């Protein structure tokens, strides 16, 4: 049986977003830095 991920984002981008969130960066700023839509980051 294949396990399906909840997110379509590559794991590398998820990790980069997580690093920004841990540092206290707001979602809009983190999205801009990583290069994803602000709604995706939220």
């Amino acid at each position: 049986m294949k396990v399906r991920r909840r997110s379509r984002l590559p794991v590398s981008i998820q990790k980069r977003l997580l690093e920004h969130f841990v540092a206290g960066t707001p979602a809009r700023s983190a999205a801009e830095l990583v290069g994803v839509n602000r709604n995706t980051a939220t």
Side-chain angles (χ1 to χ4, degrees):
M1 182 167 74
K2 184 177 179 183
V3 177
R4 187 173 167 146
R5 296 189 329 213
R6 289 181 179 250
S7 175
R8 293 182 183 172
L9 283 178
V11 176
S12 59
I13 291 181
Q14 289 181 24
K15 286 182 181 182
R16 287 178 59 198
L17 279 172
L18 187 60
E19 287 172 5
H20 287 292
F21 293 149
V22 168
T25 308
R28 289 182 107 171
S29 300
E32 216 173 281
L33 292 170
V34 175
V36 295
N37 189 304
R38 63 183 176 86
N39 293 329
T40 302
T42 303

